Amino acid sequence: MAASTPITGRGVHGLTYAVLGWAVAYGGVRQAWTVGEAPEFGRLGLDLLGFTGWWSVLLCAAAGGLAVALEWVPTWRPALAGLAWTVAGSLVAAAAILLPELVGFLLFTVGPHFDPAAFASRLGCVTGAVLLALATARYQRRTRGDCPDCCRTVRPGARRSTSARWARWAAYAVVGGLVTRFAAQFVVGFDNVDQDASVLGLEIGLVLAGVLLPLALVHHWGEIWPGWVPLVAGRTIPRLLLLVPGFGLGAGIVAYFGMGMVQVISGSPSEFSDAFLWVAISAYLVMGLGLVVASTDYHLRTRGRCGTCGR
């Protein structure tokens, strides 16, 4: 009897039900579109990248199955956690087009390629990724003895007042990636730049995220408003103001341009030369990874003492 009871002793966790419910609902839609007639999804003609047709159904099924496994496996299994994170990452990659669309919304424009049905499908796909990621993080905390609130596993030393060297290198790599990207564009010229509003919005966002954000993540003025900022000078900067765009934009860039790199490797036709695509997309990937790394250090450096474990 004990072997058939979840190790929590309190029944199946709500996150497991959430992932299963999502897998049934969204997976059912994907299956219906696969065996029947899917929407045309506007001018782009697609909603997801890479994982379409039965591959999208398989991802949904894998997410549901992994959610059950994460709930019932009583000990830490790195392979299980790694597989779950891989499926969650694949769901994010499949919805990579969501990145320029969200940036377009922030700039109050959606561009001519926007399609509501495709946008809703990508949001649904990312929702599943978030739910599975939360379930995986909960499994890690539960089986490794981490604090359920702060995820700490060891007693930290004295709080660092400055960023780690590896974080500073990551931040400078973001800036270097941005410079490399526009240097490559300067070499080939700007005549063929897509004027789609969402793409232009993405470029503007990348300029801001490629200089101001990474430097703020590793310098003291990213924690306390500098004196030249009116009204709030000297006040503490809310952590989420940097962490949300740092992690969100970083992961989005990796997903979006990671799928772009897959297309380059597979030989998909493009109006740009292979040399330009290799340099530009590689620079974008460096930017995305650098933002994630710098954001991780910012999170570790600025989080307070946990009220649950006292560490």
Side-chain angles (χ1 to χ4, degrees):
M1 178 67 70
S4 62
T5 304
I7 64 174
T8 59
R10 295 177 295 178
V12 179
H13 193 270
L15 271 174
T16 304
Y17 285 123
V19 178
L20 285 174
W22 170 86
V24 171
Y26 188 73
V29 172
R30 303 302 313 184
Q31 182 176 1
W33 287 350
T34 300
V35 300
E37 184 175 350
E40 294 185 0
F41 300 122
R43 292 173 59 182
L44 290 180
L46 50 82
D47 60 333
L48 301 182
L49 296 176
F51 299 93
T52 57
W54 287 110
W55 285 109
S56 63
V57 178
L58 180 61
L59 270 185
C60 294
L66 285 168
V68 174
L70 292 169
E71 180 69 35
W72 289 79
V73 173
T75 55
W76 169 241
R77 294 288 186 268
L80 176 60
L83 182 58
W85 284 119
T86 299
V87 171
S90 298
L91 289 167
V92 173
I97 300 178
L98 197 63
L99 175 64
E101 290 179 327
L102 292 178
V103 173
F105 283 146
L106 293 176
L107 298 176
F108 304 102
T109 181
V110 294
H113 298 300
F114 178 78
D115 180 76
F119 179 74
S121 176
R122 292 168 195 138
L123 280 181
C125 189
V126 170
T127 298
V130 172
L131 292 174
L132 181 58
L134 292 174
T136 307
R138 174 179 173 272
Y139 166 75
Q140 293 184 177
R141 293 194 298 267
R142 176 169 56 82
T143 57
R144 297 191 310 182
D146 297 4
C147 173
D149 288 338
C150 71
C151 306
R152 289 183 173 95
T153 57
V154 296
R155 295 187 178 277
R159 178 178 173 180
R160 289 186 288 110
S161 58
T162 59
S163 58
R165 178 179 298 179
W166 49 267
R168 292 194 295 271
W169 277 110
Y172 300 146
V174 176
V175 180
L178 180 68
V179 173
T180 301
R181 163 63 181 87
F182 284 104
Q185 186 66 60
F186 179 79
V187 171
V188 301
F190 292 86
D191 294 338
N192 294 327
V193 175
D194 192 347
Q195 297 301 315
D196 184 297
S198 62
V199 175
L200 290 178
L202 176 62
E203 297 287 351
I204 295 173
L206 286 172
V207 171
L208 296 176
V211 179
L212 183 62
L213 180 57
L215 296 181
L217 287 168
V218 297
H219 289 90
H220 183 65
W221 52 268
E223 301 178 43
I224 305 296
W225 290 108
W228 49 265
V229 180
L231 301 180
V232 295
R235 297 184 181 181
T236 301
I237 297 178
R239 298 174 70 241
L240 293 181
L241 190 62
L242 271 67
L243 288 177
V244 170
F247 280 119
L249 190 56
I253 290 174
V254 172
Y256 184 77
F257 291 103
M259 294 301 290
M261 182 62 78
V262 171
Q263 292 178 327
V264 172
I265 295 174
S266 63
S268 298
S270 173
E271 60 182 311
F272 297 104
S273 67
D274 289 343
F276 169 79
L277 291 175
W278 275 99
V279 172
I281 295 178
S282 297
Y284 279 130
L285 291 175
V286 168
M287 291 177 63
L289 292 172
L291 280 175
V292 172
V293 171
S295 298
T296 299
D297 177 76
Y298 183 85
H299 164 65
L300 296 175
R301 190 176 76 251
T302 60
R303 63 181 178 176
R305 182 178 296 274
C306 177
T308 299
C309 68
R311 291 181 286 185

